[in-house]
Amino acid sequence: MAPIGDFLIVLLVILLFFLLLGGVGIYLLVKVGRKATKKARKVGTRVASHMAAMGTGDAAETERMRLDLKREVSLTRQAVDHALRGGWGLGDLPHLVAEISVHAEQLDAQLAHYAQERRVSPYVDHTALSRLREHHSKLTTSCARIRADLRNDQMEHSAGGIEQIQGRTDLEIEARRRAPDPLDEIDELYNRTMINRSRHDDSH
């Protein structure tokens, strides 16, 4: 009976192992599936936004403003992150960009809502569209100014480094030049003296 009991225990352990392995596999498949679904939704939303922005009218203009705003905020975040990795002193600029991002998300939601209304309603709210354009212009201009300021700082840092390299290059080249040989200088002075003396004799 003992061998049969041992066999059953081994069989149960193997079954438990396969059940555990199957559970882990199902968990991973579900996790990967959720990530794939999220990515697919993002891609679908992005494609739909680009398609809507290619049309004409107020709704298409609003969608273009949404895409433009997202691009400007993304570029500004990248510029600030790059400056932070470089160890630059940015002061309160990262917090300012974070606030701009919050306002940009709110404006994006407002633009999306307005575009949806314009697609289903023939009535135009010119006042709302004008204010949305104004807010869009202020946020995108702020982003552009921040990037321009960071770019100027980067160019100043680069200019200082380039000037140092140029100065070091001049010193290194000067140091590598062969020092004049005193004997060569004496020979040159002697030759000049002899040439001047011969000219003087020829003149007499």
Side-chain angles (χ1 to χ4, degrees), residues 42-108:
K42 287 183 179 180
V43 172
T45 303
R46 193 177 304 168
V47 171
S49 297
H50 280 279
M51 292 295 294
M54 294 172 63
T56 58
D58 294 336
E61 179 190 353
T62 307
E63 293 292 349
R64 285 193 292 271
M65 283 195 287
R66 291 182 66 195
L67 294 174
D68 185 53
L69 182 62
K70 290 177 181 178
R71 182 180 62 252
E72 291 296 310
V73 172
S74 177
L75 290 173
T76 307
R77 282 177 180 167
Q78 292 175 15
V80 171
D81 290 341
H82 177 72
L84 287 173
R85 286 194 298 269
W88 300 5
L90 300 182
D92 201 42
L93 198 57
H95 298 290
L96 177 61
V97 173
E99 290 182 17
I100 289 175
S101 300
V102 172
H103 286 288
E105 290 178 0
Q106 294 174 354
L107 179 58
D108 179 71

Side-chain angles (χ1 to χ4, degrees), residues 74-195:
S74 177
L75 290 173
T76 307
R77 282 177 180 167
Q78 292 175 15
V80 171
D81 290 341
H82 177 72
L84 287 173
R85 286 194 298 269
W88 300 5
L90 300 182
D92 201 42
L93 198 57
H95 298 290
L96 177 61
V97 173
E99 290 182 17
I100 289 175
S101 300
V102 172
H103 286 288
E105 290 178 0
Q106 294 174 354
L107 179 58
D108 179 71
Q110 294 168 5
L111 289 168
H113 182 68
Y114 182 84
Q116 184 179 6
E117 282 188 349
R118 288 295 297 122
R119 281 191 286 267
V120 298
S121 174
Y123 302 102
V124 183
D125 186 355
H126 295 287
T127 303
L129 181 58
S130 178
R131 292 188 64 187
L132 289 172
R133 285 173 179 157
E134 181 183 355
H135 294 168
H136 171 269
S137 176
K138 287 180 179 179
L139 287 177
T140 53
T141 301
S142 296
C143 289
R145 290 180 63 191
I146 289 171
R147 293 201 308 276
D149 184 68
L150 291 175
R151 187 162 47 247
N152 289 334
D153 284 349
Q154 185 179 15
M155 292 174 67
E156 288 180 5
H157 282 291
S158 299
I162 291 171
E163 289 292 336
Q164 291 181 2
I165 289 175
Q166 185 178 21
R168 289 169 55 193
T169 301
D170 294 340
L171 290 174
E172 183 65 24
I173 291 174
E174 191 68 28
R176 287 174 56 85
R177 289 179 179 170
R178 185 174 62 89
D181 191 348
L183 294 177
D184 292 340
E185 291 184 347
I186 292 172
D187 289 341
E188 185 178 356
L189 288 173
Y190 176 77
N191 292 331
R192 287 180 182 176
T193 303
M194 294 301 295
I195 291 172

